[in-house]
Amino acid sequence: MSVQVEKLEKNMAKLTIEATAEEFEAAMQKAYLKNKNKINIQGFRKGKAPRVMIEKMYGPAIFYEDAANDLIPEAYSKAAEESGLEIVSRPEIDVTQIEKGKPFIFTATVAVKPEVTLGDYKGLEYTADPVEVTEEDLAAELKKVQEQNSRTVTVEDRAVENGDITTIDYEGFVDGTPFEGGKAENQELVIGSHTFIDTFEDQLIGKNIGDEVEVNVTFPEEYHAKELAGKPALFKVAVKGIKVKELPELDDEFASDVSDFDTLEEYKEDIKKKLLEKKENEAKTAKENALVEKAIEGAQMDIPDAMIDTQARQMLDDFAQRMQMQGLSMQQYMQYTGMDAAKMQEQMKPQAEKRIKTRLVLEKIAETENIEVTEEEINSELEKMASMYNMEAEKLKEYMGDAEKESIKKDLAVQKAVDLLVASAK
């Protein structure tokens, strides 16, 4: 196998990869062995026809696709390594010669890591807002805990109010015709939650149990069911029940029930402490992000579109995995939102480009500043990871290859570059 490298514009490169005629012949033979049981030749039992007979009847091209698919992955992998390029995208493959008895030739067009020219990154200015926990912050956190420990009480002697939990039956009509998914019974709806479209919930305020109400709304222009988007609808609604949340009193008994503290004052102090810690962490992250953003603004780089496409595709794959962990398939998610994979990937491109710029600039700073990561620091990070996975650190090290360890090393160097920005900021 041989490879030729041609540099293209905007940090793209084309690898011309040639497998020998002997290598292509071996791949053709593998394709024959894989497919011979599927091919019928008169005079031979199924799977027993010699390759020469199959090729005589159907032409050798019958095995080309499988032979190419067998050759390309390994040949590309070797060529990519041999090229010495730092490839940052999936290859775009194009077969340029495929013929029995001749070398197999294909090209792989790839993006290569862009060179970064740094601007100012030390002594950047940043003004932080003071970090404090207000009485409003404390009250909001206590209210949240009250909500979590509330109980629901049935109400029968008044009309629906904002914040009530109503039980309703409803059926929706567009142009006088019921539509799919527009009917439900014993549906719980929190008034003011804006769970339902338009002013649906507002129109139930003041209604009593047993009332039958006609609710007029308009579906949003961007509604996921395109046949309903932007259309006026009538819902026939029956109010069947009203419940309210009853919050526990804020006292010492409440504090002892929801925490390890005996008094409300002790509990409040603990909440303040945790809120302050949270705000300090948020302030630290905000400062880091702002300084990195300034360093990016001062830098110059030419990012190839293929690199952005690859990053966006990876982000989409990561999103799909997160959805799956929550019990929702991507197909279901796309049905609910009216999106498709291509549209989602397109929407992710600006964020993908920002991630790429951030990484490239921080890696360049680490390189420029000769930032090093020690073996002890890598081991410490591995121990943290092992703790997260409830594993022994030594076991995790066994599972990790050199590529994974190198990735951890680069991540630590990047974080050190962030720390440098923060430490030198004015």
Side-chain angles (χ1 to χ4, degrees):
M1 187 210 76
S2 64
V3 58
Q4 292 180 338
V5 179
E6 178 187 354
K7 296 286 182 69
L8 306 176
E9 293 181 347
K10 202 176 177 182
N11 292 303
M12 298 294 290
K14 183 161 76 172
L15 310 183
T16 300
I17 303 160
E18 181 176 319
T20 65
E22 291 75 18
E23 288 169 328
F24 184 55
E25 168 56 29
M28 288 281 285
Q29 181 63 14
K30 282 179 72 173
Y32 159 69
L33 294 172
K34 175 184 173 183
N35 291 288
K36 65 178 184 176
N37 291 328
K38 305 172 190 173
I39 301 171
N40 288 316
I41 298 287
Q42 192 172 357
F44 294 92
R45 283 183 296 156
K46 196 171 185 179
K48 297 298 181 181
R51 180 178 148 195
V52 65
M53 293 298 296
I54 296 172
E55 290 181 353
K56 186 175 181 180
M57 178 166 286
Y58 296 104
I62 191 172
F63 299 124
Y64 283 178
E65 184 177 351
D66 281 328
N69 289 339
D70 179 66
L71 264 180
I72 287 171
E74 187 177 353
Y76 167 72
S77 180
K78 287 179 179 176
E81 187 176 349
E82 189 178 317
S83 72
L85 299 174
E86 195 164 353
I87 295 171
V88 291
S89 74
R90 297 182 183 182
E92 185 179 314
I93 302 295
D94 184 30
V95 175
T96 58
Q97 178 172 292
I98 183 165
E99 188 176 341
K100 184 181 178 182
K102 292 185 178 180
F104 172 69
I105 305 172
F106 68 98
T107 62
T109 305
V110 295
V112 296
K113 184 177 178 179
E115 186 58 44
V116 177
T117 303
L118 293 172
D120 292 335
Y121 61 89
K122 285 182 178 178
L124 298 173
E125 293 187 0
Y126 180 78
T127 304
D129 294 325
V131 177
E132 60 177 343
V133 177
T134 65
E135 288 302 315
E136 290 78 10
D137 294 331
L138 177 61
E141 190 65 24
L142 284 168
K143 183 69 178 293
K144 195 188 300 181
V145 181
Q146 282 180 291
E147 293 274 0
Q148 291 167 353
N149 291 273
S150 65
R151 65 190 184 101
T152 54
V153 179
T154 300
V155 175
E156 296 179 343
D157 59 351
R158 65 164 175 77
V160 174
E161 296 178 1
N162 195 37
D164 286 349
I165 305 165
T166 58
T167 303
I168 59 173
D169 293 344
Y170 64 83
E171 186 172 13
F173 301 83
V174 170
D175 298 328
T177 305
F179 57 87
E180 187 178 350
K183 184 176 182 179
E185 294 182 354
N186 297 317
Q187 175 77 45
E188 282 200 346
L189 173 64
V190 178
I191 305 301
S193 66
H194 306 296
T195 306
F196 279 26
I197 62 167
D198 204 4
T199 59
F200 188 105
E201 295 163 28
D202 298 338
Q203 295 178 57
L204 297 183
I205 292 175
K207 307 305 177 185
N208 292 287
I209 296 171
D211 285 355
E212 294 188 356
V213 189
E214 288 192 350
V215 173
N216 291 285
V217 294
T218 301
F219 282 99
E221 292 291 343
E222 298 298 318
Y223 195 64
H224 64 84
K226 298 199 185 314
E227 67 276 10
L228 300 176
K231 291 190 176 180
L234 167 70
F235 282 86
K236 293 182 179 179
V237 183
V239 181
K240 300 180 72 177
I242 304 170
K243 290 185 286 188
V244 293
K245 276 187 179 180
E246 192 174 85
L247 303 182
E249 289 291 328
L250 284 175
D251 52 24
D252 291 345
E253 184 180 349
F254 170 77
S256 64
D257 285 342
V258 300
S259 73
D260 295 328
F261 300 96
D262 295 326
T263 68
L264 183 61
E265 285 308 308
E266 288 175 313
Y267 181 44
K268 283 182 178 180
E269 286 304 313
D270 184 63
I271 290 175
K272 283 182 183 178
K273 181 182 172 184
K274 287 176 179 173
L275 284 175
L276 182 61
E277 186 179 326
K278 180 184 175 187
K279 285 195 168 194
E280 286 173 343
N281 287 333
E282 288 171 349
K284 179 175 179 287
T285 300
K287 183 176 183 179
E288 289 176 351
N289 290 342
L291 292 171
V292 169
E293 192 65 40
K294 286 190 175 186
I296 291 170
E297 287 171 7
Q300 293 180 348
M301 67 205 90
D302 195 4
I303 301 173
D305 293 337
M307 187 179 186
I308 297 171
D309 289 339
T310 298
Q311 179 68 49
R313 197 178 298 120
Q314 181 59 55
M315 289 167 62
L316 184 60
D317 290 344
D318 292 343
F319 179 80
Q321 285 182 358
R322 290 196 301 274
M323 286 293 101
Q324 211 162 24
M325 287 172 69
Q326 295 172 27
L328 192 68
S329 71
M330 275 299 285
Q331 187 176 4
Q332 290 170 318
Y333 177 82
M334 288 188 284
Q335 283 176 344
Y336 295 151
T337 59
M339 298 284 282
D340 58 43
K343 194 184 292 184
M344 288 180 70
Q345 187 171 316
E346 189 64 30
Q347 287 185 353
M348 288 176 175
K349 282 186 179 180
Q351 183 62 27
E353 184 174 4
K354 186 174 181 181
R355 283 192 187 184
I356 291 167
K357 285 182 175 180
T358 300
R359 185 75 182 196
L360 289 175
V361 167
L362 291 173
E363 284 183 353
K364 187 64 177 180
I365 291 172
E367 178 191 326
T368 304
E369 295 291 332
N370 295 314
I371 290 174
E372 293 184 357
V373 176
T374 66
E375 199 65 33
E376 289 76 19
E377 287 170 328
I378 295 171
N379 288 334
S380 176
E381 186 66 20
L382 285 171
E383 283 171 9
K384 288 180 192 173
M385 292 173 66
S387 178
M388 285 172 56
Y389 297 129
N390 292 319
M391 292 176 65
E392 292 180 10
E394 291 304 317
K395 278 287 181 189
L396 183 60
K397 289 178 189 177
E398 287 176 20
Y399 292 137
M400 281 197 168
D402 292 338
E404 287 85 355
K405 288 177 184 174
E406 186 61 27
S407 177
I408 291 170
K409 187 175 180 179
K410 285 183 179 179
D411 289 344
L412 290 172
V414 161
Q415 184 53 52
K416 282 189 171 188
V418 174
D419 295 341
L420 182 145
L421 292 180
V422 173
S424 68
K426 294 177 182 176

